[in-house]
Amino acid sequence: LKLVVGPGPGARCGGRKCAHCGGHGQLPRCGNRPRAPRSSLVRRAELGGGWCPSMFNRLFAAGAAGGRRTAAVLAAACAATPLDRGRAQPANSESPKPPSLAGGSGSLRRGAQAYAGVVPARGMNHGPLRIFTGNAHKQLARDIAAHMDVPLSDATVERFQCGEVNVLINESVRDCDVFVIQPICNGGAGPQDNFMELLIMLDAIRRGAANRVTAVMPVYGYARQNAKEQSRAPITARLVTDLLQVAGAHRVLTVELHASQIQGFASYPIDNMYALPLLAQELQSLMDSRGLTTEDLVVVSPDVGGAKRASAFAKKLASPLAIFSRQRRRVNEAAEVDLVGEVNGKTCIVIDDIADSCGTLCNAARKLKARGASAVIGVVVHGVFSDPACANIMDSEMECVIVTDTIPLQDKVHRCPKLKVVSVAPLLATAIERIHGSESLSELFEELPLEPPR
């Protein structure tokens, strides 16, 4: 690729062919008898081989001097990733797409595109995309990166001999749009260490002059501690939001918050994605394999607190709703459980957002079978599955439990064959792409991404 810095349109070259329009056609025709360029800078580069940032800066400075438009600036106006390159589009029919070269800082790249007449599509205002992950759920991070067709960025997250977390970001994040994938969940080092890894990574990236930092937390830890239930009790969910902001997060992306009020704790955006469409799709496949229709199903909430979630799921499946309600009829007596709804002869879908020991699900399954339910299927968003959850599921009346992979479940799937895991990687990948492109997320609340984003 030959890049030439020279005069703009309207110059005359004494009858010789203009290098701008005759060489690459990057700019409009120069007019009659253009004369030779007064100055030029020629640079050869291989497509996809990458530009030296210093060379990019020289080209941009040379093109900007004296207000001259230059084909070199246009050719060097490129994005750092395939996702960004796909967003670059011509401003008009005479301005073609920039070549797939990489290099230069985000501000220079955006300035070069605007200067040369090629403007990026909406959403390239936060710099090149970077995706990092800690040790909490590396497999999910790899799946998300694979769906987006971008590589995971390089970072070292390990422990010193004394047990402290050691984080080192091994590549530049200056002027980049950075996403850090790290659920605060059990498994591995535990929720405390996973949270500390996330905070230290956010701090390191912020100090690396990133343009924007988004914490991608498939599981928002401590979300169940969202209210002061008794005197001198903490509101830990609020503390988590404050710590994320202090560490450097500009935004949080999560899946199925336990309580929506947590979004009000923060002064920055918290995007709460819903996994119900994914779970409904998996359940529909299970129904089709068994020859069931929506009239054969009943969606059941194991408690009153989950009635809103169960109602939304029942609406999505076009099925009736049943709710378990606990009532204490007299003082000093155990609370009685009432079932509101008809389940006799139906396949019951018991849905909950978090399953820890699975005692609630198993008790609900037992009572539903006693009321005449033909089958019971559990649906869970976040499968904590603390011991002895797997044993409880295997001994319960539930035929299977459909759960997402917001928490790593590899070892538990082998111990509990009743678990059917649904990946949230397509959902999060599409959400990250839309956030990076400054696009709306509301479409993902009701619909699924049909194809992996590219």
Side-chain angles (χ1 to χ4, degrees):
L1 175 65
K2 185 177 181 180
L3 308 179
V4 180
V5 175
R12 300 178 181 274
C13 67
R16 290 190 297 172
K17 196 174 185 180
C18 177
H20 290 292
C21 54
H24 300 287
Q26 302 282 18
L27 299 176
R29 294 283 176 181
C30 291
N32 297 328
R33 298 188 312 178
R35 56 189 172 84
R38 288 171 294 179
S39 63
S40 64
L41 176 62
V42 179
R43 176 71 175 176
R44 295 182 179 274
E46 295 179 359
L47 286 176
W51 268 88
C52 170
S54 62
M55 189 62 202
F56 181 94
N57 297 343
R58 289 176 59 197
L59 289 173
F60 182 77
R68 293 171 295 173
R69 296 171 63 97
T70 147
V73 171
L74 177 62
C78 56
T81 67
L83 181 62
D84 287 336
R85 284 201 295 272
R87 292 189 181 281
Q89 62 183 10
N92 52 60
S93 59
E94 295 179 337
S95 300
K97 273 193 175 184
S100 56
L101 298 175
S105 66
S107 58
L108 280 177
R109 188 159 47 248
R110 292 189 295 273
Q113 289 171 326
Y115 181 80
V118 170
V119 296
R122 55 179 177 172
M124 281 184 62
N125 55 333
H126 293 291
L129 178 67
R130 298 287 186 271
I131 299 179
F132 291 91
T133 182
N135 296 319
H137 202 340
K138 289 187 175 181
Q139 184 58 50
L140 179 59
R142 286 191 288 264
D143 293 342
I144 292 173
H147 276 83
M148 298 183 67
D149 195 23
V150 297
L152 280 177
S153 299
D154 186 18
T156 300
V157 184
E158 53 188 20
R159 299 291 187 276
F160 288 112
Q161 290 187 353
C162 62
E164 293 180 356
V165 178
N166 175 30
V167 171
L168 182 62
I169 307 300
N170 297 322
E171 59 184 79
S172 175
V173 294
R174 184 175 298 276
D175 292 331
C176 291
D177 191 11
V178 182
F179 293 80
V180 184
I181 302 173
Q182 179 86 338
I184 306 176
C185 61
N186 60 322
Q192 283 69 244
D193 281 10
N194 292 336
F195 187 38
M196 185 57 65
E197 282 185 6
L198 175 61
L199 294 178
I200 297 176
M201 291 185 72
L202 294 175
D203 181 75
I205 293 169
R206 174 178 63 88
R207 295 178 188 276
N211 200 350
R212 182 177 65 174
V213 187
T214 302
V216 181
M217 303 163 60
V219 179
Y220 196 98
Y222 298 94
R224 287 179 284 183
Q225 302 181 42
N226 57 76
K228 192 172 182 178
E229 300 291 348
Q230 57 186 0
S231 179
R232 297 178 298 279
I235 305 179
T236 316
R238 170 60 190 267
L239 176 62
V240 170
T241 62
D242 293 342
L243 290 174
L244 289 171
Q245 185 174 23
V246 171
H250 298 100
R251 191 184 197 104
V252 168
L253 174 63
T254 187
V255 177
E256 290 285 352
L257 276 173
H258 182 68
S260 297
Q261 72 193 50
I262 295 175
Q263 293 173 292
F265 291 164
S267 58
Y268 52 87
I270 297 181
D271 296 312
N272 183 28
M273 306 306 300
Y274 297 102
L276 294 185
L278 287 171
L279 296 170
Q281 184 184 59
E282 180 67 20
L283 186 60
Q284 185 67 47
S285 300
L286 186 62
M287 290 168 50
D288 294 341
S289 65
R290 298 188 178 189
L292 300 176
T293 64
T294 55
E295 298 179 355
D296 301 320
L297 299 181
V298 174
V299 177
V300 180
S301 174
D303 51 46
V304 177
K308 184 177 180 179
R309 181 181 300 102
S311 176
F313 197 64
K315 182 179 179 181
K316 194 168 293 294
L317 295 175
S319 300
L321 175 68
I323 301 173
F324 278 105
S325 175
R326 294 178 180 270
Q327 296 183 6
R328 188 181 301 274
R329 306 193 184 281
R330 297 181 183 82
V331 181
N332 298 329
E333 287 187 4
E336 297 182 10
V337 179
D338 295 333
L339 178 62
V340 181
E342 181 60 42
V343 298
N344 187 27
K346 302 286 187 177
T347 298
C348 296
I349 312 299
V350 185
I351 182 170
D352 207 351
D353 63 330
I354 300 176
D356 197 336
S357 63
C358 292
T360 302
L361 287 178
C362 295
N363 291 335
R366 184 178 65 255
K367 291 174 182 177
L368 289 171
K369 292 292 286 187
R371 296 291 185 95
S374 60
V376 179
I377 297 174
V379 175
V380 176
V381 179
H382 305 298
V384 178
F385 297 145
S386 303
D387 289 333
C390 292
N392 291 340
I393 293 175
M394 294 302 296
D395 297 337
S396 70
E397 301 284 349
M398 290 185 291
E399 294 187 3
C400 65
V401 175
I402 302 174
V403 60
T404 69
D405 63 346
T406 55
I407 298 175
L409 298 171
Q410 289 85 351
D411 58 329
K412 289 164 183 159
V413 170
H414 292 94
R415 293 161 51 193
C416 184
K418 287 187 177 182
L419 296 180
K420 296 184 180 296
V421 182
V422 178
S423 178
V424 296
L427 175 65
L428 291 176
T430 307
I432 291 174
E433 183 192 18
R434 287 175 175 267
I435 291 173
H436 178 63
S438 299
E439 300 176 24
S440 173
L441 296 177
S442 59
E443 296 178 6
L444 299 179
F445 296 159
E446 298 294 335
E447 299 178 2
L448 291 175
L450 299 179
E451 296 291 341
R454 296 297 182 192

